[in-house]
Amino acid sequence: MDKFAHAGAVLASFAIRRPVTITMLFFSLLIMGLGASRYLPLEKFPGIDFPELFIQVPYEGATPTEIEKMITRPVEEALATMSGIKRLRSFSNENNAQINIRFDWDANIKAKSIEAREKIDAIRHLLPDDVERVMVFKFNLSDMPVFQLRLSSDRDISNSYDLLERNLKMPIERVKGVSRVELYGVQKKQISIRLDPDKVAALHVDLGTLARKLREANFSMTAGQFFDLDQKITVNPSGEYKSKEEIADLVVMRNVRLSDIAEVQYETPKAIEGRHLDKTHAIGLNIFRESGANLVEVSDAVMEEIEKAKNSNLFNGINLFIMQDEATSVTQSLQDLINSGLIGGLLSVIVLYIFLRNLATTFVVVLSVPFAICITLACMYFMGYTLNILSLMGLMLAIGMLVDNAVVVTESIFQEREKSDNIIEATKKGVASVSLAVIAGTATTIIVFLPNIVGVKAELTVFLEHVAVSICISLVASLIISQTLIPLLTTKLKIKAKPVQQKPSKLKAMYKNVLTWTITHQKITSVIAIVILLSTSIPMNMLSSDDDNDNNQERIWLNYDIQGNYSLEEVEMAVTKMEEYLYANQEKFHIKQVYSYYTAGFAVSGITLNENLPVKLKDLKKEIKEGFPLFARAKPSFQWDQGAGGGVRLTLFGQSSENLLRLANQIVPVLDSVEGLTDVKTDVDGQDFELQLSIDRDKAFRFGLSSNEVANIVSTALRGSNLRTFRSEVDGEISIKLMYDESLQSSLEKLRNLTIFRDETQNVTLDMVANMKIAPRLSQIQRSSRQTSLSIGGNLESDITVGEARERIELIMQNIELPSGYSWSLEGSFQRQDEDQAIMLTNMMLAVIMIYIVMAALFESLLLPTAVLTSLIFSITGVFWAFLITGNPMGVMGMIGMLILMGIVVNNGIVLVDRINQLTSTGMSVPDAIIEGCLSRVRPILMTVLTTVLGLLPLALGGASIGGDGPPYAPMAIAIIGGLLFSTITSLFLVPLSYLLLLKLRRATVEMITNSKQIVSKIIKPA
């Protein structure tokens, strides 16, 4: 203890001796912090590399079954040999395979992506020959688009690729800080070589040979060098197409040119997807920023280009709608936090002035806030952190705590100055007397975040790390300021001497009377304390554990659940019908905008809602759903909530996709009958169909054909064949595609009569060598942990929590017997909530242990920290009662608040116990030391508590949320405020009582051991 007091006195002494040095040092840090605030990269979330790889293998025109067999399983088996895999999932879709691999958070994701590419290359020969590429992606939060722009018009802009490419996309790409721009919803023209099947068959043109000749005729290469007159000259044979006419004039056989058997023309590829914005056709642009670029600056520069486009005559009649601007949401979120911080800071200043009654003293104490924040910003800049909503949240949470050390030190200094005329010595003594308390208080607040910084990594702790870093740095800065700058400034202040016979205030007199009664009536007080502690069970049993209410979305998504793989035009009709219904009730449903995306067999609408909804989101969903128009080919429902991990989800596992779908169709009606569940459905349906061709090998052989040749002809006819690109000086690279007439893709009869082979005697058509039948198929095949799976999901009604939903679903599923080899598990919100709560409980237990260890080391006692922990125990009671009174469920944000609270509440106990120790060491009796110590420390305790509470009050009462559309801060602030207030009230009486009882226990234990030794020594006499 003496060492800490000596260290505090030395620092204060140095600051007083070298005022110019200390002033210049902190002034320099202030300037560095202000400069760092300008150069710190501003972003919504920190650039975190998620330990997840996404492997995508495009394969146009194939069925999910075909892709699973030929692509998904071989790739999955190769990747499964990688170490550290936490979860392996795959999705076999109509035109591609997707494999997702989740690793532990400590995995080197860059090395894993290289390993994944190597393993896929090793089995590349097992994949189909016409698989063009395999893409491996890593996911980083900074890779998300920072700007989403949508364009719509009453006129047709589906052929406006060149206009948008040259006058919007390319200017935005040149903006400083923009890495790339995605333009979608509009197709670039291609050169189509449309073959006439009858002419191809009549002239006996082999399609394989034709495709090879077309590729070989379009080339560019380097053939080497030769030397002429001592100069090196590179030889570059070039056979690239120069024009469309040159392609048409290509000789494919003797006396046969390409134009004789095909029509070569520019055409826009057929749309495979569509978008609507405000009921009109829409085109999308996604803008991505460079790593480290300032989000707001990039957004402002992009907006300038968009405004230029709006004012251009080229964009007359085209509406440019900003669907999402990350900078706006970040700015709004930051502004909410800053406003809350400023209001909280102002309230704290008012409270300090009410207590101190001196403007200069108040100014000295409050000065620690801007200095600590600026030091934090400078440290974050040099440590490579960014300024984001998480780090700023840490700063806002710390604002109320930054004055704590300054308040305790200032109060102690002034108390000593009232006893002595020597200002310098009184200042040193005042700092020394509370050095242990402020160091212990700061250390315990910081130590609770240690598991999040250096412990087991998970999604929640990785995000909390950025909150913790800003809090920890700012608290350390406030500790240094309280030991140096504050003592220096207080020596320049004059204080009025208090009258010798001044009566204590009524509040202090009342506190002294109650405290004296508490110490005198120890048994009754102990019973009251136990009753208060047991009362925690009341709110614990009444509160729900729910994260779903943490969502504050401004946009809801509507799935159409198209009942079949209908064409793009048919799906668009359903989308148009739904949009007409929504816009007819626009004011009633508080709708701001409707954006829809659709493909063949799939559609989804994003409904942007007005700000400050007067009704609950789930009630609004229910109202919209009740008036849904009837659809013949769709069953619209709201998308599973994403905030708590993807709605409530039950996953079935087995071997057969068909059996899983059959089981799911039996389970869905049962779950749909569960009270509180809505929008229950499978995420895959069996309404798609495929045309199966069974080639008769014997018949094909008689005509001199192989099964592969027949399949290639059908593939070219329906899917086409990509050739090498055509380079145009004006339009750049243009795709060339070899295909048959478009009518083949829409007529089954024409496909049957497709000429495969023709000789002098007969014409061989497809139906002569193949049998055709239409059969149902799955739209997607899912696999999880190398096992076929299928998910059933749903949303929760407003009157049911995740915990209640879990109980009801488990009760039903226990009564359903699945076939052998089939099983089920709960995922989505259930899994996410379990993981987050398990992590938070573990971290809180570690925090309690580490708080005790730190206090035991600082106090050099195992007994005294136990008394301090009393304040922590009763703070938990305060949290649960606060949540019950305010009507909030206990979610992850509330648990984060509890974690932060644990580091704060012990400060009060430390200040009390430290002062009582100092008085007992001077020879004062324990009861007198308790009363005197508590009375001398009650004022700084109340000041620090009120500044922290008032600093968080705007967050608790306001509607600020993470990122503007994420979980609200209110539950976290309510947990801290409720726990801190209740803990303070109880700690002022129960911590001293615990201290006294523990001393009595120690004395009784020592007496018992002494008596035992005496008895033993009498029985066993020394020899």
Side-chain angles (χ1 to χ4, degrees):
M1 191 181 299
D2 292 336
K3 291 180 180 179
F4 290 107
H6 178 68
V10 168
L11 282 174
S13 177
F14 176 79
I16 294 169
R17 286 199 323 268
R18 307 295 295 270
V20 176
T21 302
I22 293 296
T23 304
M24 289 300 101
L25 174 63
F26 280 99
F27 183 74
S28 301
L29 292 173
L30 184 67
I31 297 299
M32 287 174 62
L34 294 174
S37 66
R38 175 67 180 82
Y39 292 105
L40 271 171
L42 180 64
E43 54 191 16
K44 184 173 183 178
F45 288 107
I48 297 172
D49 281 319
F50 275 73
E52 197 160 357
L53 290 179
F54 301 89
I55 294 90
Q56 188 171 7
V57 187
Y59 194 56
E60 292 290 335
T63 64
T65 305
E66 183 183 9
I67 284 179
E68 185 205 21
K69 180 181 178 182
M70 297 192 303
I71 298 176
T72 305
R73 284 181 181 265
V75 173
E76 193 180 77
E77 289 173 5
L79 296 174
T81 59
M82 297 174 67
S83 61
I85 293 179
K86 189 175 180 181
R87 187 184 67 203
L88 177 63
R89 300 182 69 182
S90 65
F91 304 88
S92 301
N93 302 304
E94 186 173 340
N95 294 310
N96 62 75
Q98 296 178 6
I99 298 96
N100 298 348
I101 311 176
R102 184 70 179 261
F103 299 93
D104 293 324
W105 275 94
D106 56 356
N108 186 335
I109 198 63
K110 292 181 180 178
K112 291 294 183 184
S113 65
I114 296 172
E115 184 182 356
R117 289 185 177 93
E118 290 174 348
K119 289 190 176 292
I120 294 172
D121 287 340
I123 55 100
R124 190 65 185 262
H125 64 283
L126 300 177
L127 304 181
D129 295 335
D130 51 346
V131 169
E132 295 182 353
R133 61 191 185 278
V134 177
M135 296 175 286
V136 180
F137 301 102
K138 304 187 299 292
F139 178 65
N140 187 294
L141 284 176
S142 60
D143 294 335
M144 300 291 287
V146 298
F147 211 98
Q148 294 186 31
L149 183 67
R150 298 293 182 266
L151 296 88
S152 63
S153 177
D154 294 333
R155 58 187 173 92
D156 184 15
I157 56 172
S158 59
N159 294 318
S160 303
Y161 181 88
D162 292 335
L163 169 68
L164 301 176
E165 168 83 10
R166 294 174 186 173
N167 299 286
L168 190 60
K169 180 175 180 286
M170 293 175 69
I172 293 176
E173 284 176 334
R174 290 192 289 267
V175 169
K176 183 180 179 181
V178 172
S179 60
R180 62 190 176 96
V181 179
E182 287 181 351
L183 174 63
Y184 49 88
V186 60
Q187 300 283 337
K188 185 177 183 179
K189 287 187 177 182
Q190 68 180 19
I191 296 178
S192 298
I193 303 173
R194 294 283 184 182
L195 296 172
D196 186 319
D198 294 329
K199 292 180 180 178
V200 168
L203 296 173
H204 306 291
V205 177
D206 181 76
L207 287 181
T209 304
L210 174 62
R212 187 173 64 253
K213 283 189 175 184
L214 289 170
R215 290 190 181 97
E216 291 175 351
N218 187 24
F219 71 93
S220 179
M221 62 179 289
T222 300
Q225 301 92 23
F226 75 91
F227 294 86
D228 184 23
L229 299 176
D230 296 329
Q231 290 189 2
K232 184 174 72 172
I233 300 175
T234 302
V235 180
N236 183 19
S238 178
E240 292 182 327
Y241 297 138
K242 302 298 182 185
S243 65
K244 176 175 70 70
E245 289 73 23
E246 183 180 338
I247 300 173
D249 203 39
L250 182 70
V251 177
V252 294
M253 289 177 59
R254 179 178 293 181
N255 299 326
V256 178
R257 299 185 181 274
L258 185 60
S259 57
D260 296 332
I261 59 172
E263 184 179 355
V264 182
Q265 59 187 4
Y266 282 104
E267 68 177 44
T268 302
K270 189 177 180 181
I272 59 173
E273 59 184 11
R275 292 168 178 81
H276 280 183
L277 177 64
D278 284 333
K279 301 190 292 184
T280 60
H281 178 77
I283 293 170
L285 268 88
N286 285 346
I287 296 107
F288 299 82
R289 69 181 175 93
E290 295 174 353
S291 178
N294 189 293
L295 176 63
V296 176
E297 292 178 358
V298 172
S299 177
D300 291 342
V302 170
M303 275 301 301
E304 289 181 10
E305 293 297 331
I306 293 173
E307 290 299 327
K308 289 179 184 177
K310 285 183 178 179
N311 297 327
S312 172
N313 293 330
L314 296 172
F315 287 84
N316 285 341
I318 298 178
N319 302 317
L320 284 79
F321 170 68
I322 300 165
M323 186 173 179
Q324 185 170 348
D325 181 5
E326 291 290 349
T328 302
S329 62
V330 169
T331 305
Q332 183 62 47
S333 180
L334 295 181
Q335 193 63 50
D336 289 342
L337 281 174
I338 291 171
N339 290 339
S340 300
L342 290 174
I343 295 171
L346 180 62
L347 293 173
S348 300
V349 170
I350 294 171
V351 168
L352 287 173
Y353 181 75
I354 291 172
F355 274 93
L356 299 173
R357 299 297 178 90
N358 187 296
L359 193 61
T361 308
T362 304
F363 175 75
V364 168
V365 172
V366 173
L367 202 62
S368 59
V369 176
F371 274 99
I373 289 177
C374 285
I375 292 171
T376 306
L377 293 176
C379 291
M380 288 173 59
Y381 176 76
F382 290 112
M383 292 170 67
Y385 285 93
T386 61
L387 191 61
N388 51 71
I389 58 175
L390 297 176
S391 57
L392 197 65
M393 181 176 82
L395 288 175
M396 293 303 104
L397 289 172
I399 278 182
M401 297 183 281
L402 292 180
V403 297
D404 290 2
N405 292 332
V407 166
V408 173
V409 170
T410 304
E411 187 72 11
S412 178
I413 290 172
F414 285 173
Q415 285 180 2
E416 293 298 329
R417 283 178 62 175
E418 289 173 1
K419 303 173 187 176
S420 173
D421 294 331
N422 190 328
I423 295 176
I424 303 300
E425 291 302 319
T427 301
K428 292 179 184 178
K429 191 175 179 181
V431 173
S433 65
V434 293
S435 287
L436 176 62
V438 295
I439 292 172
T442 305
T444 52
T445 306
I446 291 173
I447 204 73
V448 299
F449 294 105
L450 197 61
N452 296 301
I453 298 175
V454 299
V456 177
K457 296 295 182 184
E459 186 172 337
L460 184 62
T461 58
V462 167
F463 282 98
L464 277 179
E465 176 187 343
H466 293 262
V467 180
V469 165
S470 56
I471 291 180
C472 293
I473 296 174
S474 60
L475 290 179
V476 171
S478 75
L479 175 63
I480 296 171
I481 291 168
S482 70
Q483 301 288 294
T484 55
L485 187 62
I486 297 298
L488 171 62
L489 294 175
T490 54
T491 59
K492 310 301 179 184
L493 298 176
K494 294 182 180 180
I495 60 170
K496 296 178 181 179
K498 293 184 178 179
V500 179
Q501 299 297 327
Q502 185 188 32
K503 292 183 179 180
S505 64
K506 291 183 179 179
L507 189 63
K508 263 193 176 183
M510 186 186 300
Y511 173 55
K512 183 179 179 180
N513 293 334
V514 177
L515 183 61
T516 305
W517 186 91
T518 301
I519 296 172
T520 308
H521 302 81
Q522 297 172 19
K523 291 183 179 180
I524 298 175
T525 308
S526 299
V527 171
I528 293 171
I530 293 171
V531 170
I532 292 173
L533 201 59
L534 292 175
S535 71
T536 313
S537 60
I538 298 173
M540 284 183 70
N541 291 325
M542 295 179 67
L543 280 178
S544 62
S545 178
D546 192 10
D547 290 338
D548 220 43
N549 292 329
D550 283 347
N551 249 0
N552 183 25
Q553 296 177 337
E554 296 180 357
R555 184 177 293 117
I556 53 178
W557 292 93
L558 182 68
N559 275 341
Y560 285 78
D561 197 14
I562 305 297
Q563 302 296 294
N565 198 17
Y566 290 102
S567 66
L568 193 69
E569 292 75 16
E570 293 287 341
V571 175
E572 186 177 13
M573 291 172 62
V575 170
T576 301
K577 186 176 181 180
M578 178 62 77
E579 289 176 343
E580 293 290 345
Y581 160 70
L582 293 174
Y583 275 96
N585 298 276
Q586 187 170 4
E587 292 186 6
K588 179 182 177 183
F589 296 151
H590 312 285
I591 296 174
K592 184 178 180 181
Q593 204 106 35
V594 178
Y595 169 75
S596 301
Y597 169 80
Y598 53 92
T599 61
F602 173 82
V604 62
S605 288
I607 305 171
T608 305
L609 303 172
N610 294 325
E611 297 176 359
N612 303 320
L613 283 177
V615 295
K616 288 185 177 180
L617 192 62
K618 290 181 178 179
D619 293 336
L620 180 61
K621 284 183 180 180
K622 186 176 182 180
E623 187 179 0
I624 295 173
K625 188 176 178 182
E626 287 174 351
F628 274 167
L630 298 176
F631 294 91
R633 297 170 178 172
K635 292 181 179 179
S637 62
F638 285 103
Q639 198 174 76
W640 300 340
D641 293 332
Q642 298 297 317
V648 294
R649 189 176 301 180
L650 181 144
T651 303
L652 299 174
F653 299 93
Q655 298 300 321
S656 169
S657 298
E658 289 75 13
N659 289 339
L660 286 174
L661 184 61
R662 187 175 64 254
L663 288 172
N665 289 335
Q666 296 171 2
I667 294 173
V668 165
V670 179
L671 293 182
D672 197 32
S673 64
V674 174
E675 186 180 355
L677 288 184
T678 182
D679 302 325
V680 179
K681 64 180 185 297
T682 60
D683 57 356
V684 175
D685 61 66
Q687 301 297 322
D688 291 355
F689 294 90
E690 65 181 18
L691 178 65
Q692 296 179 346
L693 293 179
S694 299
I695 300 172
D696 191 318
R697 292 185 177 86
D698 294 334
K699 290 182 179 178
F701 178 77
R702 285 201 297 270
F703 293 118
L705 297 169
S706 67
S707 299
N708 189 47
E709 288 174 333
V710 175
N712 285 336
I713 292 172
V714 176
S715 175
T716 303
L718 298 178
R719 188 166 56 184
S721 178
N722 292 321
L723 305 176
R724 289 195 178 110
T725 58
F726 168 70
R727 296 178 183 272
S728 169
E729 293 182 359
V730 178
D731 301 320
E733 289 198 5
I734 299 176
S735 299
I736 305 177
K737 198 160 190 177
L738 178 66
M739 59 186 75
Y740 273 40
D741 188 81
E742 195 173 0
S743 60
L744 275 171
Q745 299 175 358
S746 57
S747 172
L748 181 59
E749 189 60 32
K750 287 190 176 182
L751 182 62
R752 290 179 186 274
N753 295 323
L754 173 66
T755 300
I756 303 297
F757 175 76
R758 178 184 290 174
D759 59 17
E760 290 77 8
T761 59
Q762 63 179 338
N763 183 36
V764 179
T765 56
L766 180 60
D767 60 354
M768 295 173 62
V769 294
N771 298 317
M772 302 183 191
K773 69 173 183 178
I774 296 176
R777 67 166 174 83
L778 291 172
S779 59
Q780 185 186 75
I781 298 176
Q782 298 179 5
R783 288 170 60 81
S784 182
S785 300
R786 304 180 69 183
Q787 192 176 13
T788 306
S789 63
L790 191 147
S791 293
I792 302 171
N795 288 321
L796 302 180
E797 297 281 6
S798 56
D799 56 348
I800 184 175
T801 66
V802 173
E804 292 169 343
R806 177 201 290 271
E807 293 176 2
R808 296 175 187 179
I809 292 173
E810 287 179 341
L811 183 63
I812 285 180
M813 292 304 298
Q814 287 171 1
N815 298 319
I816 297 178
E817 186 176 353
L818 299 179
S820 177
Y822 289 81
S823 60
W824 61 274
S825 71
L826 295 177
E827 294 184 351
S829 293
F830 305 123
Q831 186 179 29
R832 178 71 172 273
Q833 184 173 322
D834 288 346
E835 291 175 356
D836 288 349
Q837 290 186 354
I839 291 168
M840 291 306 301
L841 287 172
T842 302
N843 286 352
M844 282 193 282
M845 291 298 297
L846 289 172
V848 172
I849 295 169
M850 288 189 291
I851 286 171
Y852 183 87
I853 291 170
V854 168
M855 289 192 297
L858 293 175
F859 282 119
E860 198 60 36
S861 168
L862 297 176
L863 195 66
L864 298 180
T866 308
V868 176
L869 288 178
T870 306
S871 58
L872 194 152
I873 295 170
F874 283 95
S875 69
I876 305 300
T877 302
V879 171
F880 281 99
W881 276 108
F883 274 104
L884 182 65
I885 293 169
T886 56
N888 284 286
M890 176 57 75
V892 171
M893 289 298 287
M895 297 184 77
I896 293 173
M898 289 176 64
L899 182 66
I900 299 169
L901 173 70
M902 293 170 71
I904 301 174
V905 294
V906 293
N907 293 355
N908 299 335
I910 290 171
V911 170
L912 288 175
V913 170
D914 180 50
R915 183 57 181 164
I916 296 170
N917 272 350
Q918 290 176 9
L919 294 174
T920 53
S921 64
T922 62
M924 188 180 289
S925 66
V926 174
D928 291 341
I930 287 175
I931 293 173
E932 177 63 25
C934 290
L935 288 175
S936 64
R937 288 291 180 258
V938 67
R939 199 168 108 114
I941 285 175
L942 291 178
M943 290 167 66
T944 56
V945 167
L946 288 175
T947 53
T948 303
V949 167
L950 292 174
L952 292 172
L953 197 60
L955 280 181
L957 299 178
S961 58
I962 296 178
D965 56 358
Y969 295 109
M972 178 180 62
I974 289 170
I976 299 174
I977 292 172
L980 189 55
L981 286 176
F982 193 83
S983 171
T984 302
I985 296 169
T986 54
S987 297
L988 289 173
F989 303 101
L990 298 181
V991 167
L993 177 64
S994 301
Y995 182 90
L996 181 60
L997 293 175
L998 287 168
L999 287 181
K1000 291 174 69 176
L1001 178 64
R1002 183 172 67 179
R1003 187 176 64 184
T1005 305
V1006 171
E1007 289 178 355
M1008 183 183 68
I1009 294 173
T1010 303
N1011 293 334
S1012 300
K1013 286 181 179 180
Q1014 291 175 356
I1015 294 171
V1016 170
S1017 64
K1018 289 180 181 178
I1019 296 174
I1020 305 173
K1021 294 182 179 180

